[in-house]
């Protein structure tokens, strides 16, 4: 049975908004295969299979969901089954691409294909509709997905609280003599235990590995007196993601680290406080970058300040120089400046949502350095 939470996260009227956006973009239809766009529109977290599953949303006409017959029960039991969208099963000897082409009006000039559609599927659609130009459908859904509803913000708030609980447990796992991989394994278990459905990533960057923002877990043994960057995230049963970075030190930190970490704290705070409607992502990025550069660490901050988050851990809007699209209420993204001089590094990351008069942080754990051991 459809729950109130599911109804709010995946409302019936979203299909109509997608149809309107498709027409506004001048496309004849959008074709959404399994991935975040399909889940956003229908709530159906369909499996990525070699058999075609595809939501077809014509600019003029009713949407329908093409599914392999053996996946029909899953589609019916998903939130998509309660939307009233027609489910069109196909059998093993059918050509589902031709089926879609037959049901669409002839002579379509263009169709939008899901950004995450497998190339082999896009090519088969091209063969089935040779006269239709294919464009990325992400641009059609971008404006809708980028502005989170109250239900989506609540889901992100729940995800933030869950990953905060994991960070509060990190001191249980982190101590000298353990490897990054051992600590990471415990953190991954905690991510699931604290309510996530899946672990998306675990970074435990000790010592020099902390200067690599995307360090992989390794067998490096954590030493006494070393700073450790812990960046973790997962996906909740709702489909919405968490992502938060905090910094730890096994014993007292080196003096040079403590000095630049204080700069980083100030930069991250000012960047968060710059968030409000009408401000550009470029300005939010500059609020952090200018402080770090003024302290002599400009070359040690070499990535954007943030990325959007929702059904994907990275999506629009991106908080980076050159993005002058004004922020609006409902936009959700990370604020995560970093300083990486080499012998060690640090990054502080919160997920925030732009509100009517400022921002709300989804992460509320201590942002300062946590000394353990």
């Amino acid at each position: 049975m459809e729950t109130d939470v599911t109804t709010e996260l995946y409302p019936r009227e979203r299909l109509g908004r997608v149809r309107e956006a498709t027409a506004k973009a001048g496309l004849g239809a959008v074709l959404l295969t399994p991935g975040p766009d399909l889940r956003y529109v229908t709530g159906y977290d369909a499996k990525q299979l070699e058999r075609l599953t595809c939501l077809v949303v014509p600019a003029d006409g009713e949407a329908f969901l093409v599914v392999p017959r053996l996946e029909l029960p899953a589609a019916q039991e998903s939130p998509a089954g309660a939307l009233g969208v027609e489910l069109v099963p196909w059998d093993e000897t059918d050509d589902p691409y031709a089926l879609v082409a037959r049901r669409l009006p002839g002579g379509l000039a263009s169709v939008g294909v899901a950004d995450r559609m497998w190339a082999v599927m896009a090519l088969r659609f091209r063969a089935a509709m040779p006269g239709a130009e294919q464009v990325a459908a992400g641009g059609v859904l971008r404006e809708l997905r980028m502005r989170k509803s109250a239900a989506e913000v609540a889901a992100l708030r729940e995800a933030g609280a869950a990953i905060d609980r994991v960070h509060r447990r990190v001191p249980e796992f982190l101590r000298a003599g353990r490897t990054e991989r051992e600590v990471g394994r415990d953190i991954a278990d905690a991510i699931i235990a604290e309510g996530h459905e899946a672990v998306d990533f675990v970074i435990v960057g000790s010592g020099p590995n902390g200067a690599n923002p995307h360090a992989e877990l390794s067998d490096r043994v954590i030493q006494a007196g070393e700073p450790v960057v812990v960046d973790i995230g997962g996906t909740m049963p709702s489909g919405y993601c968490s992502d938060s970075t905090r910094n730890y030190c096994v014993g007292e930190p080196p003096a040079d680290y403590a000095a630049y970490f204080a700069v980083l704290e100030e930069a991250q705070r000012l960047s968060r406080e710059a968030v409000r409607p009408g401000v550009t992502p470029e300005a939010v990025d500059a609020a952090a970058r200018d402080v770090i550069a003024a302290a002599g660490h400009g070359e040690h901050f070499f990535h954007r300040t943030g990325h959007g988050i929702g059904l994907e851990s990275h999506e629009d809007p991106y908080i980076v120089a050159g993005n002058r699209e004004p922020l609006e209420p409902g936009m959700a993204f990370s604020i995560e400046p970093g300083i990486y001089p080499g012998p060690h590094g640090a990054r502080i990351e919160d997920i925030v949502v732009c509100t009517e008069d400022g921002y709300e942080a989804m992460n509320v754990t201590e942002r300062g350095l946590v000394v353990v051991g």
Side-chain angles (χ1 to χ4, degrees):
M1 180 178 293
E2 187 181 25
T3 66
D4 290 341
V5 172
T6 300
T7 302
E8 292 170 2
L9 269 178
Y10 305 107
R12 295 172 185 271
E13 59 268 21
R14 191 168 282 167
L15 268 172
R17 294 178 194 147
V18 174
R19 183 182 301 109
E20 292 170 4
T22 300
K24 183 179 178 181
L27 300 177
V30 293
L31 311 174
L32 304 180
T33 46
D37 283 340
L38 175 62
R39 188 166 189 178
Y40 174 77
V41 180
T42 67
Y44 183 25
D45 186 21
K47 296 177 182 178
Q48 283 273 18
L49 301 170
E50 76 281 5
R51 298 179 176 94
L52 180 71
T53 293
C54 184
L55 176 70
V56 182
V57 185
D60 183 16
E62 295 300 316
F64 56 96
L65 180 60
V66 173
V67 296
R69 188 170 295 280
L70 76 169
E71 295 297 323
L72 182 59
Q76 291 170 327
E77 293 167 10
S78 78
L83 290 178
V85 63
E86 182 186 2
L87 301 180
V88 182
W90 61 273
D91 295 306
E92 297 285 5
T93 55
D94 293 336
D95 180 347
Y97 302 90
L99 183 159
V100 171
R102 285 195 302 270
R103 290 186 59 121
L104 286 171
L108 290 184
S110 59
V111 295
V113 298
D115 289 9
R116 299 290 183 88
M117 184 182 289
W118 288 353
V120 66
M121 293 179 173
L123 290 171
R124 291 195 65 179
F125 272 124
R126 180 172 293 171
M129 294 181 283
E133 178 189 9
Q134 292 181 349
V135 302
V140 176
L141 288 130
R142 178 180 181 273
E143 298 298 315
L144 301 176
R145 286 184 56 187
M146 194 163 53
R147 296 166 180 81
K148 270 56 178 182
S149 67
E152 290 179 281
V153 172
L156 288 170
R157 194 180 293 121
E158 180 184 33
I163 210 68
D164 280 356
R165 292 193 295 271
V166 179
H167 269 298
R168 292 189 185 102
R169 294 184 59 186
V170 167
E172 300 173 26
F173 316 131
L174 191 60
R175 60 180 179 271
R178 300 198 78 197
T179 67
E180 293 175 346
R181 198 179 310 279
E182 289 170 336
V183 174
R185 188 179 301 120
D186 288 340
I187 290 174
D189 289 344
I191 288 173
I192 298 299
E194 295 298 343
H196 293 79
E197 188 172 72
V199 178
D200 292 339
F201 54 88
V202 175
I203 295 173
V204 180
S206 65
N209 289 344
N212 177 0
H214 284 173
E216 297 288 336
L217 292 175
S218 76
D219 292 321
R220 184 182 187 280
V221 177
I222 298 167
Q223 305 295 317
E226 284 190 334
V228 183
V229 179
V230 176
D231 183 356
I232 52 179
T235 300
M236 299 291 285
S238 65
Y240 285 77
C241 299
S242 66
D243 186 1
S244 180
T245 308
R246 294 294 185 258
N247 300 268
Y248 303 84
C249 193
V250 182
E252 289 304 311
D256 58 340
Y257 175 88
Y260 74 72
F261 189 83
V263 173
L264 182 62
E265 284 189 282
E266 178 72 358
Q268 205 263 356
R269 180 184 67 82
L270 291 174
S271 188
R272 277 187 286 115
E273 293 178 354
V275 175
R276 60 184 181 276
V279 171
T280 64
E282 180 175 66
V284 175
D285 177 88
R289 199 167 301 277
D290 290 350
V291 171
I292 292 171
H297 289 288
E299 66 181 305
H300 301 143
F301 178 23
F302 42 77
H303 58 70
R304 63 196 174 206
T305 292
H307 56 81
I309 192 168
L311 288 169
E312 296 176 271
S313 55
H314 284 201
E315 59 184 51
D316 285 311
Y318 291 97
I319 310 304
V320 64
N323 185 354
R324 300 181 179 88
E325 184 175 19
L327 296 176
E328 296 182 22
M331 291 183 176
F333 45 88
S334 67
I335 299 291
E336 51 176 309
I339 299 177
Y340 314 99
H344 31 62
R347 179 169 62 260
I348 303 172
E349 177 183 18
D350 294 308
I351 300 302
V352 304
V353 175
C354 184
T355 63
E356 294 290 342
D357 56 2
Y359 76 95
E360 178 188 353
M362 303 291 101
N363 304 106
V364 297
T365 54
E366 173 59 43
R367 297 179 179 91
L369 182 66
V370 177
V371 177
V372 301

